Amino acid sequence: MTVATLKLTEPRVMTGIGVGLLVLSAWLALIVIHGDAGLALDSIAELCGQIGGSVALWFYPAVLFMWLLMAIAMMLPTALPTIDLYVQLSRRMESGRSQRIVLFVAGYVVAWGAFGALAAALQITLRAIPVDDLAPVIAAGSVLILAGLYQFSALKQKCLALCHNPMLFFMSRWRETYPGTLRLGFEHGLICIGCCWALMLLMFVTGAMNLVWMAMLGLAMLLEKLLPDAGTWGRVAGALMIAAGAVTIGTILI
């Protein structure tokens, strides 16, 4: 290891520190919101619960903000290997390298922000529907089954393969203009969403502000992208989710 690799001004180090601080800030914000219902307002506090209940439509911006924090806290760490590879590939750029790195990360966050907008709308819609004692259980079991089935899908495996080998992604989509770089990050975010959206929906089952489950799911998605035989383990996890969903629904039918 050379002295140069240890310099804090080295782009890879600075990018890693920047992403780490952004993720840490998101986690700290979620912890504060989770622990202080007065600061979080009633809308945020209610999201600590599971499916069922009600959230007024005008709370949507607060719900969206919470899902954006969740996406940054849980998903941005899983993109760090790809971001690091982008930083390495961009070293031949003569100018504007730092700006492009920021744009690439921003594009990724924007993609997950779009997912968060849909998830927040779904969150409010589900809570606006009148429910009885059985509806939340059926909904939770259905989400588990859906997430489990998606683990076996061809789209899931294709997106996961690109997450494992981001060089293939860059070889087919590389752009160097500022708008192109933002789009590049956005497209990688879409691939990441294609890989993980069903697992993220499990937050509806565990409670959208359950910090323990957030950490566990975030770690699971990180390992899924890093481990060489993650596809096999993902299918095992999918089978377990399907079984858990079937048991959940079965408990109210027996």
Side-chain angles (χ1 to χ4, degrees), residues 137-145 243-254:
V137 179
I138 295 175
S142 300
V143 171
L144 281 167
I145 293 173
V247 170
T248 300
I249 296 176
T251 57
I252 64 174
L253 299 179
I254 297 176

Side-chain angles (χ1 to χ4, degrees), residues 2-11 13-14:
T2 64
V3 176
T5 60
L6 298 177
K7 292 181 179 179
L8 292 179
T9 55
E10 208 277 332
V13 176
M14 292 182 65

Side-chain angles (χ1 to χ4, degrees), residues 27 34 47-48 50 203 206-215:
W27 275 107
H34 186 274
L47 291 174
C48 297
Q50 298 174 339
M203 294 306 301
T206 63
M209 276 284 288
N210 189 314
L211 298 179
V212 174
W213 276 104
M214 282 176 56

Side-chain angles (χ1 to χ4, degrees), residues 12-82:
R12 294 180 66 187
V13 176
M14 292 182 65
T15 301
I17 293 174
V19 171
L21 289 175
L22 185 58
V23 171
L24 179 60
S25 298
W27 275 107
L28 290 176
L30 288 168
I31 291 171
V32 170
I33 290 172
H34 186 274
D36 190 341
L39 175 63
L41 302 178
D42 291 339
S43 61
I44 299 295
E46 283 192 39
L47 291 174
C48 297
Q50 298 174 339
I51 294 174
S54 62
V55 176
L57 183 60
W58 65 273
F59 284 140
Y60 177 78
V63 181
L64 172 58
F65 178 65
M66 192 203 67
W67 273 97
L68 180 59
L69 288 176
M70 288 169 56
I72 293 173
M74 297 172 66
M75 301 312 307
L76 196 54
T78 72
L80 191 54
T82 301

Side-chain angles (χ1 to χ4, degrees), residues 84-93 167 170 174:
D84 183 64
L85 178 58
Y86 177 80
V87 175
Q88 295 180 64
L89 294 175
S90 67
R91 63 183 179 272
R92 64 184 180 84
M93 296 179 181
M167 182 62 78
F170 287 124
W174 186 261

Side-chain angles (χ1 to χ4, degrees), residues 121-194:
L122 180 60
Q123 182 92 33
I124 289 180
T125 299
L126 287 175
R127 287 176 170 271
I129 298 175
V131 297
D132 53 30
D133 293 337
L134 300 183
V137 179
I138 295 175
S142 300
V143 171
L144 281 167
I145 293 173
L146 173 63
L149 289 173
Y150 188 70
Q151 293 294 103
F152 294 89
S153 70
L155 178 58
K156 164 77 178 191
Q157 300 307 314
K158 183 177 180 180
C159 292
L160 185 58
L162 288 174
C163 290
H164 279 162
N165 191 356
M167 182 62 78
L168 294 177
F169 166 77
F170 287 124
M171 288 176 61
S172 61
R173 295 174 172 84
W174 186 261
R175 303 177 184 89
E176 292 193 2
T177 63
Y178 288 140
T181 302
L182 182 65
R183 179 179 174 181
L184 192 66
F186 183 82
E187 288 178 352
H188 177 63
L190 292 180
I191 290 173
C192 186
I193 291 171

